[in-house]
């Protein structure tokens, strides 16, 4: 019987045997055990009466293949605890794994087949198509539910990175307490009569400002990776970051993102300086950059704290809405634009239209470009 099964698989699997079998999941089934409150391997002698069986599907390792699912009786296919397909009896469902990867934006998903008891009537394969005659099913993503706990290196990374960021803030507070208190002062941010001759505003690229910019870069990178772990890919960073899911590679990605963010903040000052020279606002460039940096430190630190608390207190598998993330960021940049307009107008004799044009180039256009390529 085993020889016949091997010969049948060698000829092909799926509809009209159009697929070469890459992986057979017959030995990978899991069932939920209420005693252990976890998923355990399926044992025929113990779980033959259970109608729902599950398995983990590695999307990253099986790109360009097809997922083949068939049952001898009517059933249902759940993906990440959410109903996706009805499975008619004796009918093969062909699902493009690339479409699953694009829809769920993660390396692994959880499949559940619900129908008749046991696994003898259920067949799940990863297959390589012999021909293109079979049209694959393309799925789109919706909400997710509670899933079995799966250990992730992100948990260890977020703990280490959180300790690192808290330590960096404590170090800056001890070394530069006066600057720390001013950067994190909301009344100082909203004060229009800013002390542009102060040690912070007068030297935007001083050692102290660069250290606070670097610290802000750490916060920005941490928040980005936290959102990415919640399947919110703000930018397509796949070509920039190291592929992989172990702790070392995630730490490398964290410092790469921190470096990109730091260069972006320095580039922001150079942009302000160059455009300000064209508009003859060189004397306002330092004040403009200081206000922008101060507001960014306050906002991103608050966003970092809220995102961290949400990740800790909300269920790990509860989806995060991209619009909930994007709307506060847009509101912040528009509020900062208004603040900069008033602050610069209060220090320079410049026509309103002239000043608005300057801020549009330096602040509004980068925001629009960022939104265009985000999400």
């Amino acid at each position: 019987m085993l020889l016949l099964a091997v010969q049948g698989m060698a000829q092909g699997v799926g509809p009209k045997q159009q697929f070469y079998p890459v992986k057979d999941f017959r030995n990978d089934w899991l069932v939920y055990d209420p005693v252990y409150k976890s998923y355990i391997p399926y044992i025929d002698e113990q779980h033959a009466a259970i109608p729902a069986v599950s398995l983990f599907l590695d999307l990253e390792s099986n790109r360009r293949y097809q997922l083949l699912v068939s049952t001898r009786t009517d059933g249902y296919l759940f993906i990440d605890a959410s109903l996706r397909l009805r499975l008619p009896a004796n009918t093969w469902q062909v699902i493009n794994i690339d479409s699953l990867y694009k829809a769920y934006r993660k390396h692994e998903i959880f499949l559940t087949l619900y129908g008749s008891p046991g696994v003898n009537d259920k067949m799940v394969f990863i297959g390589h198509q012999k021909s293109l005659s079979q049209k694959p099913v393309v799925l789109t993503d919706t909400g997710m539910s509670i899933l079995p706990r799966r250990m992730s290196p992100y948990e260890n990374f977020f703990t280490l990175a959180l300790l690192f960021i808290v330590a960096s803030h404590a170090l800056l507070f001890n070394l530069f307490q006066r600057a720390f208190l001013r950067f994190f002062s909301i009344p100082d941010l909203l004060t229009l009569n800013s002390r542009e001759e102060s040690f912070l505003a007068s030297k935007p690229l001083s050692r102290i400002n660069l250290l606070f910019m670097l610290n802000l870069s750490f916060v920005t990178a941490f928040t980005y990776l936290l959102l990415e772990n919640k399947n919110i890919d703000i930018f397509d960073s796949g070509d920039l970051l190291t592929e992989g899911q172990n702790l070392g590679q995630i730490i490398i990605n964290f410092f790469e993102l921190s470096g990109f963010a730091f260069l972006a903040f320095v580039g922001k000052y150079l942009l302000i300086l160059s455009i300000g020279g064209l508009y003859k606002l060189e004397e306002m460039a330092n004040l403009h950059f200081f206000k922008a940096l101060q507001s960014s430190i306050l906002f991103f630190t608050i966003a970092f704290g809220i995102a961290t608390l949400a990740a800790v207190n909300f269920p790990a598998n509860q989806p995060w809405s991209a619009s909930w993330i994007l709307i506060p960021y847009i509101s912040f940049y528009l509020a900062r634009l208004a603040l900069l307009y008033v602050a610069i107008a209060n220090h320079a004799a410049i026509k309103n239209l002239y000043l608005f044009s300057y801020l549009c180039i330096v602040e509004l256009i980068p925001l629009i470009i960022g939104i265009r390529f985000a999400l």
Side-chain angles (χ1 to χ4, degrees):
M1 292 296 293
L2 179 60
L3 179 60
L4 292 176
V6 172
Q7 289 176 346
M9 290 182 61
Q11 295 174 359
V13 295
K16 299 180 181 180
Q17 296 183 338
Q18 295 177 7
F19 295 85
Y20 294 111
V22 176
K23 179 175 175 59
D24 183 356
F25 288 95
R26 70 174 67 189
N27 297 320
D28 295 341
W29 293 112
L30 304 171
V31 294
Y32 182 76
D33 190 319
V35 176
Y36 294 101
K37 295 183 179 180
S38 179
Y39 281 78
I40 62 175
Y42 175 88
I43 302 175
D44 191 60
E45 292 79 6
Q46 299 180 13
H47 307 126
I50 295 179
V53 291
S54 306
L55 58 87
F56 283 98
L57 174 61
D58 187 346
L59 301 179
E60 177 67 22
S61 300
N62 295 292
R63 302 287 295 274
R64 299 179 297 278
Y65 292 139
Q66 312 295 325
L67 176 67
L68 312 174
V69 182
S70 179
T71 57
R72 295 194 182 96
T73 59
D74 290 345
Y76 298 92
L77 173 65
F78 292 78
I79 300 179
D80 281 353
S82 182
L83 178 62
R84 286 293 177 266
L85 288 175
R86 181 180 178 274
L87 303 174
N90 299 313
T91 302
W92 284 98
Q93 299 294 330
V94 182
I95 304 173
N96 186 284
I97 293 182
D98 280 340
S99 72
L100 290 173
Y101 187 82
K102 292 177 181 178
Y104 290 91
R105 290 181 175 265
K106 56 183 179 179
H107 296 269
E108 190 175 58
I109 59 175
F110 190 67
L111 303 181
T112 300
L113 269 64
Y114 181 87
S116 60
V119 298
N120 292 329
D121 69 328
K122 300 176 177 66
M123 292 178 288
V124 178
F125 294 92
I126 292 176
H128 175 62
Q129 194 170 13
K130 296 181 181 180
S131 67
L132 300 178
S133 59
Q134 177 70 25
K135 184 177 180 181
V137 179
V138 178
L139 298 184
T140 56
D141 186 26
T142 57
M144 293 179 291
S145 274
I146 297 176
L147 303 175
R149 184 175 181 180
R150 194 73 162 172
M151 296 304 295
S152 169
Y154 274 97
E155 296 177 3
N156 294 330
F157 163 74
F158 288 133
T159 301
L160 294 174
L162 183 61
L163 292 175
F164 174 76
I165 291 175
V166 171
S168 67
H169 278 78
L171 181 64
L172 288 177
F173 178 79
N174 288 321
L175 295 178
F176 312 107
Q177 184 173 358
R178 181 183 170 193
F180 188 96
L181 293 176
R182 185 174 183 195
F183 271 120
F184 287 90
S185 172
I186 295 179
D188 188 277
L189 173 66
L190 300 178
T191 300
L192 298 182
N193 295 321
S194 298
R195 297 160 288 170
E196 63 273 9
E197 74 284 352
S198 70
F199 71 104
L200 293 176
S202 60
K203 297 179 180 179
L205 298 184
S206 65
R207 177 172 58 93
I208 296 177
N209 284 341
L210 288 176
L211 287 174
F212 276 90
M213 272 192 281
L214 182 61
N215 192 60
L216 175 59
S217 301
F218 294 145
V219 172
T220 305
F222 179 93
T223 306
Y224 180 91
L225 288 174
L226 181 60
L227 296 179
E228 185 183 52
N229 188 50
K230 293 298 181 178
N231 300 322
I232 300 179
D233 193 6
I234 300 178
F235 295 100
D236 187 8
S237 56
D239 296 333
L240 299 176
L241 303 181
T242 304
E243 288 291 338
Q245 288 295 297
N246 61 58
L247 180 60
Q249 290 168 328
I250 297 174
I251 292 176
I252 292 174
N253 289 342
F254 169 72
F255 284 107
E256 285 181 351
L257 287 171
S258 299
F260 294 145
F262 181 78
L263 292 177
F265 293 133
V266 175
K268 176 74 173 182
Y269 173 70
L270 297 178
L271 176 65
I272 292 173
L273 197 63
S274 60
I275 301 300
L278 295 176
Y279 279 79
K280 300 187 184 303
L281 291 173
E282 299 92 338
E283 68 279 3
M284 291 291 103
N286 291 348
L287 174 63
H288 180 172
F289 180 72
F290 175 73
K291 284 291 185 182
L293 178 61
Q294 187 182 30
S295 60
S296 296
I297 288 175
L298 280 167
F299 174 78
F300 282 100
T301 303
I302 293 174
F304 156 79
I306 294 175
T308 302
L309 290 176
V312 171
N313 291 285
F314 283 86
N317 296 310
Q318 181 171 334
W320 287 22
S321 171
S323 61
W324 295 354
I325 305 301
L326 191 59
I327 291 175
Y329 277 82
I330 296 176
S331 301
F332 158 70
Y333 280 106
L334 292 178
R336 189 176 77 173
L337 179 66
L339 175 66
L340 292 171
Y341 181 90
V342 176
I344 295 176
N346 191 59
H347 284 79
I350 183 174
K351 294 182 178 179
N352 291 334
L353 184 61
Y354 202 60
L355 177 57
F356 183 75
S357 173
Y358 162 75
L359 290 176
C360 281
I361 296 175
V362 177
E363 297 288 339
L364 196 57
I365 291 180
L367 173 62
I368 295 173
I369 294 175
I371 295 174
R372 168 63 180 81
F373 290 100
L375 301 176

